[in-house]
Amino acid sequence: IHQAGRFGLEVFLSLYLEPLKGDHPVFKRLPEIRGSRFVGTDNAYILCSSHPKVREFYAEQLAFLFRNAPELGGLLLISGCEGWLHCHTACAQTKESLCECSRCAKLSPEQTVAEMFNRMAAAVKKVNREVRVIIWNYGIFAWTDIRAQKFISLLSKDCEVMANFDTGDDYTLEGARGTCFDYSLRCVGPSEPFQAQSRLAERRGLVMHAKCESGTPLEYCSLQYVPAMTRWRRKFAAIPENGASGAL
């Protein structure tokens, strides 16, 4: 952090959580905070996203972090299918397509996750109002609409929003149909899901950011080199024209 600050740069943390085994000591002591089982596992569980003790723990730990690292610029928290795991993140599901957490299954996923992030952001802002808490809606279609309209409508002003600039539009190539996924060079952007999120963020007064991976677009998986520099220029020129105040 100090080294980056010498050059006028800020450091952001992208935080990831790991599931805990079902017999973890914390679950033995507080069985009520054991949340959803992680998809594809037999004995890995998330902390319950709606439980007050869990939310207080998250808030307490983040406040501690920023009190002890006051020059830290902010947080990147993935809301969708990885990263900051919650009871609706890639969870094992019941036959009714609900998460397995007995508490969260009864609640609105959008409201549960938004309230969790709002509580965390409020704790961070209480320590330092200048810190930026960016909620990145990567893979959010795993548990809600890819346009994230209900979710964004519930985020507090302490949160900022980020979405992939070019994910979600359909295309046809040589008769084959597909959907532009992560960081597509084919789709210059903005995609319709990004535009929908950006419009709603603007109406609500939330700062909007664009995620655009210039180093590893999807096409690089099969092509070593793509001579398309003018396409990159069009993509990055379109970002500030479509409601984004920043890009990653």
Side-chain angles (χ1 to χ4, degrees):
I1 295 172
H2 296 307
Q3 185 71 359
R6 291 179 54 205
F7 299 95
L9 302 175
E10 291 182 312
V11 174
F12 283 68
L13 286 182
S14 180
L15 296 176
Y16 274 60
L17 299 181
E18 290 189 12
L20 302 176
K21 290 185 177 180
D23 60 353
H24 190 280
V26 73
F27 293 146
K28 290 182 177 180
R29 185 166 62 89
L30 298 168
E32 68 273 17
I33 70 169
R34 196 175 86 170
S36 292
R37 179 168 55 89
F38 202 61
V39 67
T41 69
D42 295 324
N43 191 31
Y45 293 85
I46 313 299
L47 294 179
C48 175
S49 310
S50 62
H51 200 286
K53 289 182 179 178
V54 174
R55 292 181 177 179
E56 182 60 29
F57 170 71
Y58 290 159
E60 178 185 85
Q61 293 302 303
L62 291 179
F64 178 83
L65 170 65
F66 281 92
R67 280 196 301 269
N68 288 274
E71 296 175 353
L72 189 61
L75 298 172
L76 295 173
L77 302 170
I78 296 177
S79 63
C81 62
E82 61 181 70
W84 192 270
L85 304 180
H86 51 76
C87 278
H88 302 283
T89 306
C91 60
Q93 295 184 337
T94 67
K95 291 184 294 184
E96 295 78 22
S97 297
L98 300 174
C99 70
E100 288 189 342
C101 175
S102 59
R103 183 184 179 97
C104 291
K106 303 172 185 177
L107 305 172
S108 160
E110 295 85 0
Q111 185 168 349
T112 299
V113 179
E115 287 178 349
M116 177 188 68
F117 283 130
N118 291 343
R119 178 72 181 88
M120 293 159 60
V124 170
K125 292 286 189 176
K126 188 175 181 179
V127 176
N128 183 350
R129 291 298 305 174
E130 301 303 315
V131 168
R132 309 181 78 168
V133 180
I134 300 175
I135 310 302
W136 177 13
N137 293 332
Y138 174 77
I140 200 167
F141 56 82
W143 56 271
T144 189
D145 172 29
I146 190 174
R147 301 165 87 250
Q149 299 296 280
K150 184 176 180 179
F151 176 62
I152 293 175
S153 71
L154 296 168
L155 290 175
S156 73
K157 297 295 195 300
D158 289 331
C159 299
E160 301 180 15
V161 179
M162 184 162 70
N164 287 8
F165 190 66
D166 44 25
T167 295
D169 280 351
D170 297 331
Y171 67 89
T172 301
L173 178 65
E174 300 293 337
R177 296 179 179 180
T179 300
C180 291
F181 196 51
D182 295 353
Y183 324 127
S184 171
L185 186 57
R186 174 178 306 282
C187 176
V188 171
S191 65
E192 194 283 328
F194 176 88
Q195 290 177 301
Q197 294 188 51
S198 180
R199 287 192 298 266
L200 179 54
E202 182 178 13
R203 289 198 300 270
R204 297 210 54 240
L206 302 177
V207 176
M208 184 71 192
H209 303 277
K211 180 65 174 71
C212 184
E213 181 57 74
S214 59
T216 53
L218 187 62
E219 291 78 8
Y220 280 21
C221 295
S222 55
L223 298 174
Q224 184 178 13
Y225 175 68
V226 180
M229 299 309 293
T230 56
R231 188 177 290 263
W232 283 122
R233 188 203 65 79
R234 296 201 306 273
K235 183 186 290 286
F236 279 94
I239 288 175
E241 296 173 355
N242 287 274
S245 63
L248 176 66

